[in-house]
Amino acid sequence: MDSPVTFDRLYEGAKRFAHLAMEAHAEEDQEVFLLHAGVSVERLAKAALASVHPTLLTEVNGKDDMLLHFAGALSTPPARLRTIGASTAIGRLRKMDVLPQRQKSSSEADDLDGLIELRNGVAHLGTDDVEDYLGTFVATVDKLLQHLGQDRGSFWESWSDTVQVIEDDRADRLQRDVHLRMNQARQRFRTRFADLPEGAVDGVEQAVSERGLTVVEVGPEQALFQTLSQCPACGREAAALFLAVDGDSPLFDLELKAEGLLCGLCGFRLSSTEEIEAAGLPTVLQHSVEDLTRSVAESPASERLATIRLNVPTVRSGSHDSW
């Protein structure tokens, strides 16, 4: 009888949970991310051990049922399949120089241990606000994939672009965070509208799009406006671009500075002029009073602007601080 604990099953399980982890992180569900990321690392670590020899998955605790099974001495698997835990699997791979050892790279090793410990803590007790381990998760998975000789693109599939952004140390922190959120929003868009019939997305786009130049709010020092923009994440013309102008600017020739963006389809958000520029959008637009289509009393956009300012998620990649 074939063993239910094989390299292929462990590898495919790691891949499935890696995708679930990325989806959870994109939805800002940190607890679910930690659970799925920890399971993915554990299964891929076990797959790396199984690729050397299945007996490396056995516990050393005096019970030899699994050892005999993996060695082929027992044709029928034990009634209860017990293999080593994530920490033991990682420890064995460290001894094999597959994963970084504490004395060689303490920060990287400690982060990986922290990910596994948090996974266990979430499973048993739950957790609140914790450090983002997305960078550690991706780096560990890619080290194991490289060791196994597995193609990264085949493992990550539609998340490959997001993973590349996370690992691209050449991009500055702001660009990396913006492009990470952009890729997450793009994936979220695909998931939300994958089952809709052809043309249905166009209808939704028209329903959420607010065309023209709208006054959002007027203050003593500046005025805020909203106009329609193409979303840099999903590519649809369904994003509200928020613009500001100084109070002493000429009324008939407005030079508006972009300060935020919110897409009604994929949920992509930008919260500053710097982020607007990092996303590849123009930061200054020219308008005149003739472009106005609504007044502040008629516009519901101020609530969405507050949403952008207050609820933009902070994202950390590896050891970089959130902005």
Side-chain angles (χ1 to χ4, degrees), residues 263-278:
C263 179
L265 289 182
C266 68
F268 181 59
R269 290 174 286 187
L270 298 169
S271 62
S272 67
T273 302
E274 292 74 19
E275 288 191 5
I276 296 287
E277 183 177 14

Side-chain angles (χ1 to χ4, degrees), residues 218-230:
V218 177
E221 297 183 356
Q222 70 172 9
L224 294 174
F225 299 82
Q226 172 195 334
T227 191
L228 189 63
S229 172
Q230 184 181 46

